[in-house]
Structure formats: structure tokens, C-alpha cells
Amino acid sequence: MTSTFLSARSLSKRYGAGIALNNVDLDIHPGESVAIMGASGSGKTTLLHTLAGITSPDSGSVNYEGTDVTGLNETQRSKLRREAFGFVFQSGLLIPELTAIENVALALMLNGVPRRDAEAQSLGWLAHLGLAGMENRRIGELSGGQAQRVAIARAQVTGARIVFADEPTGALDSTTSAEVMTALLNATAGRGNTLVLVTHDPTVASRCSRTLFMHDGVLSLAPTSRPAATQAIPGASTGTTFLPQLSQDGEARA
Amino acid sequence: MKSTLSILWMLSRPAPGSKAVMVLPAVAFALVTALLLIVLAGALSFFTNTAADDPTGMAGIYQMLAAFAVSLMVLPMMTLGGSAARLSARRRDERLSTLRLLGGTPALVSVLTIIESTLVAVVGIAAGIVLYAAALPAIALIHFQGQALGLATLWLPGGVLFIAVAALILLAAISAALGLRLVILSPLGVRTRQKAPTVHWLRLALGAGAAVVLYLVMTVATASGSAAIMIVVLCAAFAGGLALLNLMGPFVVKWIATRRLARATTPVRLLAARSILESPKAAWRQVSSLSMTSFIAVVAGTGLAIIASAGDAHNAEDAILYGDMRTGVLITVIVSFLLVASSAGVNQAAAVLDRRELYVSLDRLGMPRPIMESARKRAVMWPVQIVTIGSGVLAAVLLFPLTGLAIIFAPVSVLVIAGILAGGIGLVWLGLAASAPILTAVLREA
């Protein structure tokens, strides 16, 4: 096992009466791709946001390469996200009035890279992701899958060693979803970088090197058998849920 | 109708975080009301005062100028009304789109939005009446026709007040309906209608042609030297110039933004230029009333400066009239800038809410908030500068021989006008700064 470079210890977070994170411990190693699965409200997005320094936990700590992320102030965390992390969101969330290349170059320009250099580097990434010739299209002129690939280019153009992806294929059909996952894995783990993604989709999770499960704020190595999804749907008689019914390992450090 | 009202009642409970969004349109309407009532009171004072004591026979000129000044306020007031209505619609986005999702027809949702933004406007209008009353003692000190206006003449008669308020409520409802045309209320959310930016070069060609014709006509007319012809020239310059500005405005804004995009080296400049290019027409529309203001300031200011410096005022009445016209121009310019500053603030608040998700994602990516703030401020301030300076320069060019004379013989008057325009630009900046808490709130709630 390689050394840890992102680790979380005893993370807890509540939203009112709800527990989003309950004493979560997690170690992430360079070059791996980790999928975090769970039902809606299980705390998986809160975990991703806490690891990425977007949200502060009520207690516990996150350490990235020797830096105590939870001890940083808002401006320092913003700088860390801009310089060291990459992000891919469900619907891309690219700036609609910018072209594909400008969206990617902006990530570099925010770090002080001159526009000409930023666009040259972005051009390479877009071509690498199969978007050659589409650099000057505005986001509205791209398909959902193409827009996600622009988002992947934006997440990696800065050389971020870790990319956080929140339901990156959530808005795509299954074929496009597979293509985008291939692009995302190639651009990250395929180049020795790390990918942490949150997903509902077992097919997407199965492409990652490790899958973890969240349930009621607790992280485990195996999915819970409690058919939460079935209970949430009134009138559902058959207990089919998207979570595979595996044996429980209970809580464990993931 | 009954069910519409009961749904409205159900939806009227304030959502958390919606306070600023509700307060801004109300404040905007308070300002529109106060300014309208003040301008109206000032204008009407020329109609009520003059019947008995009009030894000079100037009443007609004052009444005409007052009516003209009031008519100039209509466009910026409607712009502000429309912006306020759009913001009201945005405030309700989740609830209204849920209503659409549940099967509410677009008509029902539109009616709800119109009723609701009108109600918000009514609250603002009530506050505006109070503001008008509070401002009167200061307004009463302004001198026209050689004397202070006085409190007595500035109190609007009950009937006029009623008509003005009714007209404002109607304006709010019509603006809400017009504002909704720019918004799509779909079951999946409320968003601004996207239109491909199409600004045809033909505008520029037509505009340039009209400018040449206008210039030739005016040069010939000015050469004749008669005062009556001079007034006709000024009116023609005004009407023709305005038409010209509206024809060319969007194209010029687009052209300048394109050039700035090519040269943009920082994220702020890139974002601002692209934001303008997204819809040069919308960028122009938001500030277009400033073109009128700036144009009037330069045309009227130049005319008055020359008359004053040439000692053309043959008698005391003329001198007072010219002084009063200067006061009137200054008031009109200041009020216009106040209205545009308010609409810019309200529009920006709506724009931030419209793109809430995008701003949140940019914050997560680590984009510093000052960059987001600067980019959206610059996206408005660039067109404001282009419009104000461009219109002023166009007016100066159209009146060229006169402008030159004004600069030589009455530099102080010219400087005052330039100062007022610069102050107005600063006022718009303040209007934008007032919408900053909305972005902070959006990012905090995320």
C-alpha cells in the first residue's frame, strides 16, 4: 500500500437534527480511484465537500499532504481548492457565456497563468479528451457528455493531484456515462492522480479501484442491508434497491 | 380567481434568505415613487403658479420644459419597474416551478407572479410617498423663476397623488408582465430566456448614414445664426441623436466588448467581456436611458453655456430662464442616474440569483469572491461608461461648432456637466455595490 496523502479522522457533522457525518475515518492514497456510494441523505456529498475543504466539519480533521485542511480559514481553503484540487460536478457547471477553451483556461488564469499560455495548455487537454475542433463552442452548443469532458479538462489542467467528482455522470445516459467515466479515469488515476467520486450508480462505482458506502453518516466497506430506498418509496412492495445485498462488515476504517 | 388568491396566500410566506430579494424591489419602487412625485410636484408647480403671476409670459416655456422633463423619466422608470418585477419572479423560482410541476398552467403562474410583484410594489410605493413627504422641505429650497419653490406649491393635490399612485401600480403590473416575457417559468426552474446574440452590422451602417445627414442639416442650420433656427437645431439634434443612439448602441457595445475580449488578460476582464457579449442588446437596454441623459446633458448644457457666455440674455427674465433650465437639466440628469443605478442594482441581484448554482460551483472551485464581484460589476460598468461617454461625445460632435465655443467661452459650465456625468457613473457603481450582499448570502447558504 502506498502512503496516505489525504486522510480524515473522526469527522462529524450535523445539519439540525440530522447526522451527515458520524465519526468518519478515511485514508486515500495517491493514484487510487475511490467511489463513495449511498442513498440520498446518507452524507456522501457532505463527506466529499469536507474532504475537499468546501465544508467545515463540526469536529475531526482532514489532512492533505501534511496540511490540516480543517485548520485553514476560508481564503486559505479557497486557495487550496484552486491550486491543488480539481472538481467535476453533476451538470458540469461551466460558465455558459465562455467557450470551451475559455472555461478550461480560466482555471489556470485564476492561478496567475497568462491567458495565451493558459489557452495553449487547455487546447492540449481538450484534444486529449476528444474535443479537438470544439474549443470555440459555447457550453450551450455542446452535448452533456462533451460538457462533462470540458469539466474534466478544467479539473486537470492545473495539474491537480486529486479530483473530487460529485455525481459526474448523474445527468447522462448509460452510454455517455461510460464514455465520461473512461475519460475521467484516464485523466486522473490513469496519470497517477487520485479520483474521489460520489455516485448513486453501481456501474460507475465498479469502475473505481475501491468502493465505500455511506449510511446515516457512517462510512463502511460494505453496503448496508437495510433497504432504505424501498422504505422511502410508499407502495413499493418488492425490495429491490440499488444497493447490492452483501454481507455486512459493520463499521470499519475505510 | 378565488383559487388563485388562495394559492397566492399559501405561497406568500417568506422563504428563508429571501429577505433581501423582497426588500430590493420594494426599495426600487419606493425610489421610483418618491422621484416621480417630486418631479411631478416640481413640474406642476409651474402650472399652478403661473396663472396669476405670469407678468413675463414665460409660463408656456416653463410648462413645456417641465412636461418634457417628466416625459424623460418614463423610460428609466419603466426599466426599473421591469427589473424589480423580474427580481420578484426570481425570488419565487422554486415555488413557482413546483407549481408548474404540479400542473399549474403558465397563465396561473404568471398571474400569481404579477399579483405578487405588484403587492411588493405597493409596499414600496407607500414607502415612496413617505420619502417624497420627507424630501419636500429640501426640494422646496430649489430656486425657479427667481424664488424658492416653497412647500405650499410642492404638495400634490389629492387627485393627482391618487392618479400618480394608480399609474405606478399599473406600471408595476405591466412591468411584471413584460418582465416575465424575459423569464421561462418551467417545471424545472425559472431562468432567463436565452437568445442568441444577434446584432447586425446593418445597424452601424444605417446609424453612420443618419449621422452624416444629421450633421449636414445641422451645420447648414447653425450657419444661419438665427435663435429660432438654433432651437430647431437643438431639438432636431436631440430627437435625431436619440434615434441614432438606439440604433447603434447595441452594435457599439458589442464591438467594444469584442475588442476587450481579445485583449482580456485577467479572469475578471475575460468574464466581464463575455458576459456583455452574451447579449449586447440586454447590456445596452439596461443602461440605454443613460444615453438619453448624457445626450441631454451635453446638448442642453452646451446650448445654455453658450447663451450664458454670449450674454445673450437680454433681460433679467431671460437670465432667470436660462439659469432655471440649467437647474432643470441637472435635476433630470441626477434623477436619471439614480434610476439607472437602482435598476443596475436590482438587475444584478436578479442575475446573481439566476445563476446561484454557477456562483456556488465557482466558489467551490476556489474562485476568489472579489473576482466574481469585480467581473459582474465590470460587466455593467463597461456599458455604462461606453453609453455615457459615447452619447456625450456623439452629442458634442453633432453640435461641433457650438461645443467648441462652449469649451472656449464657458469651460466651467462644461466641467460641471462632465463632473455630473462622472458622479452619475459613480452612483451606478454604488447601486451595484448594494447588490453585493446577495452574492455573499447565496454563497453562505450553499
Side-chain angles (χ1 to χ4, degrees):
Chain A
M1 180 66 75
T2 48
S3 62
T4 297
F5 86 136
L6 179 70
S7 65
R9 290 291 174 271
S10 311
L11 288 181
S12 291
K13 176 90 179 171
R14 300 179 74 96
Y15 291 111
I19 300 174
L21 298 177
N22 188 1
N23 210 25
V24 171
D25 286 343
L26 174 64
D27 287 324
I28 289 172
H29 310 283
E32 68 173 338
S33 51
V34 180
I36 302 169
M37 289 191 71
S40 294
S42 61
K44 58 188 188 307
T45 297
T46 303
L47 176 59
L48 188 87
H49 286 178
T50 310
L51 292 174
I54 292 169
T55 308
S56 292
D58 296 338
S59 62
S61 65
V62 173
N63 192 294
Y64 172 73
E65 292 208 304
T67 303
D68 177 13
V69 178
T70 35
L72 301 177
N73 65 27
E74 179 54 43
T75 311
Q76 290 166 326
R77 280 189 284 140
S78 184
K79 187 168 184 283
L80 179 73
R81 295 199 296 270
R82 188 166 67 240
E83 292 177 353
F85 299 162
F87 293 90
V88 179
F89 302 107
Q90 179 171 6
S91 52
L93 289 176
L94 299 157
I95 302 176
E97 60 264 28
L98 298 190
T99 60
I101 194 169
E102 287 166 350
N103 262 291
V104 180
L106 188 67
L108 285 169
M109 289 169 73
L110 284 172
N111 286 328
V113 177
R115 183 173 168 194
R116 191 184 294 259
D117 298 347
E119 291 198 342
Q121 289 184 49
S122 305
L123 199 64
W125 265 102
L126 289 173
H128 178 70
L129 287 160
L131 295 171
M134 298 183 193
E135 306 86 356
N136 292 319
R137 291 201 191 166
R138 284 155 28 111
I139 301 311
E141 296 166 340
L142 298 173
S143 69
Q146 288 166 340
Q148 277 310 63
R149 279 184 277 163
V150 174
I152 294 169
R154 178 177 70 177
Q156 279 290 261
V157 73
T158 55
R161 290 180 57 212
I162 184 163
V163 170
F164 296 94
D166 190 356
E167 300 281 6
T169 60
L172 305 173
D173 62 71
S174 56
T175 313
T176 316
S177 167
E179 287 167 8
V180 165
M181 262 317 280
T182 304
L184 184 57
L185 284 166
N186 286 343
T188 53
R191 297 164 50 90
N193 293 331
T194 306
L195 173 68
V196 180
L197 76 79
V198 154
T199 183
H200 275 100
D201 187 347
T203 319
V204 167
S206 68
R207 308 270 310 265
C208 295
S209 59
R210 186 154 62 117
T211 303
L212 303 169
F213 299 86
M214 282 292 281
H215 179 73
D216 288 345
V218 176
L219 190 67
S220 59
L221 293 169
T224 170
S225 59
R226 188 178 148 205
T230 346
Q231 289 175 0
I233 305 166
S237 53
T238 53
T240 46
T241 133
F242 63 89
L243 291 175
Q245 304 292 304
L246 299 175
S247 64
Q248 279 198 69
D249 280 8
E251 286 180 41
R253 177 179 295 179
Chain B
M1 188 63 195
K2 200 177 164 203
S3 64
T4 307
L5 287 178
S6 59
I7 294 172
L8 183 69
W9 178 246
M10 261 164 53
L11 291 176
S12 65
R13 282 165 228 159
S18 69
K19 211 186 293 169
V21 190
M22 199 152 166
V23 168
L24 265 172
V27 168
F29 267 103
L31 198 68
V32 169
T33 308
L35 290 175
L36 176 73
L37 294 181
I38 289 167
V39 170
L40 213 53
L44 280 180
S45 72
F46 298 117
F47 288 81
T48 50
N49 260 1
T50 48
D53 45 20
D54 180 29
T56 57
M58 293 270 195
I61 296 178
Y62 275 94
Q63 290 168 357
M64 197 185 73
L65 290 174
F68 180 58
V70 172
S71 69
L72 286 177
M73 298 292 130
V74 173
L75 182 66
M77 280 183 184
M78 287 201 69
T79 311
L80 179 51
S83 311
R86 261 182 62 211
L87 182 57
S88 285
R90 189 71 72 258
R91 184 173 72 86
R92 287 307 193 196
D93 54 1
E94 283 119 15
R95 296 169 191 214
L96 293 176
S97 53
T98 304
L99 208 58
R100 287 278 284 116
L101 199 60
L102 293 175
T105 61
L108 171 74
V109 174
S110 300
V111 167
L112 281 177
T113 311
I114 291 168
I115 293 178
E116 198 178 52
S117 47
T118 308
L119 287 178
V120 171
V122 166
V123 173
I125 290 168
I129 296 173
V130 175
L131 204 62
Y132 152 73
L136 277 194
I139 306 294
L141 298 177
I142 295 175
H143 276 65
F144 272 110
Q145 293 172 302
Q147 53 182 344
L149 282 170
L151 261 182
T153 55
L154 288 177
W155 283 114
L156 284 169
V160 175
L161 191 66
F162 177 80
I163 293 170
V165 166
L168 277 168
I169 294 174
L170 195 66
L171 170 74
I174 293 172
S175 311
L178 290 176
L180 275 182
R181 285 171 50 211
L182 298 172
V183 162
I184 299 169
L185 288 166
S186 83
L188 298 175
V190 178
R191 61 187 191 281
T192 304
R193 203 176 283 278
Q194 295 289 332
K195 281 183 191 148
T198 50
V199 179
H200 206 270
W201 60 268
L202 205 59
R203 276 175 179 275
L204 192 69
L206 276 175
V212 170
V213 172
L214 205 59
Y215 181 79
L216 289 176
V217 169
M218 287 177 38
T219 313
V220 171
T222 315
S224 73
S226 137
I229 289 181
M230 192 88 92
I231 289 174
V232 173
V233 167
L234 284 176
C235 288
F238 177 70
L242 280 188
L244 197 61
L245 280 170
N246 272 313
L247 198 65
M248 296 171 65
F251 186 88
V252 172
V253 165
K254 184 186 170 189
W255 183 67
I256 294 179
T258 309
R259 285 174 59 90
R260 292 197 172 166
L261 172 71
R263 290 203 311 264
T265 47
T266 63
V268 170
R269 285 170 172 269
L270 176 69
L271 288 167
R274 275 290 181 203
S275 164
I276 294 168
L277 287 172
E278 179 75 357
S279 176
K281 274 186 194 166
W284 167 258
R285 207 182 306 121
Q286 185 175 336
V287 298
S288 62
S289 58
L290 282 186
S291 73
M292 199 155 68
T293 307
S294 174
F295 199 81
I296 293 167
V298 173
V299 171
T302 304
L304 291 169
I306 286 180
I307 291 166
S309 67
D312 225 14
H314 297 301
N315 49 44
E317 282 82 25
D318 279 357
I320 290 174
L321 173 66
Y322 298 144
D324 287 351
M325 283 170 75
R326 203 160 34 237
T327 311
V329 168
L330 291 187
I331 293 174
T332 310
V333 170
I334 291 168
V335 170
S336 299
F337 269 111
L338 268 176
L339 288 169
V340 170
S342 315
S343 9
V346 170
N347 275 341
Q348 279 299 302
V352 168
L353 292 169
D354 204 15
R355 316 178 75 186
R356 193 183 333 217
E357 223 186 339
L358 180 64
Y359 278 116
V360 169
S361 78
L362 292 176
D363 182 51
R364 287 179 183 166
L365 292 176
M367 183 183 279
R369 292 179 196 191
I371 288 190
M372 296 185 214
E373 280 293 336
S374 307
R376 67 185 193 83
K377 275 197 193 116
R378 205 173 288 229
V380 179
M381 291 313 290
W382 272 351
V384 165
Q385 288 159 8
I386 294 169
V387 164
T388 309
I389 297 168
S391 307
V393 168
L394 181 66
V397 168
L398 286 173
L399 290 170
F400 175 65
L402 298 181
T403 331
L405 289 177
I407 293 171
I408 295 166
F409 293 113
V412 176
S413 308
V414 175
L415 277 179
V416 167
I417 291 177
I420 294 269
L421 293 181
I425 292 176
L427 205 57
V428 179
W429 191 91
L430 283 178
L432 292 176
S435 64
I438 304 267
L439 180 60
T440 312
V442 159
L443 297 181
R444 197 179 43 232
E445 280 167 24

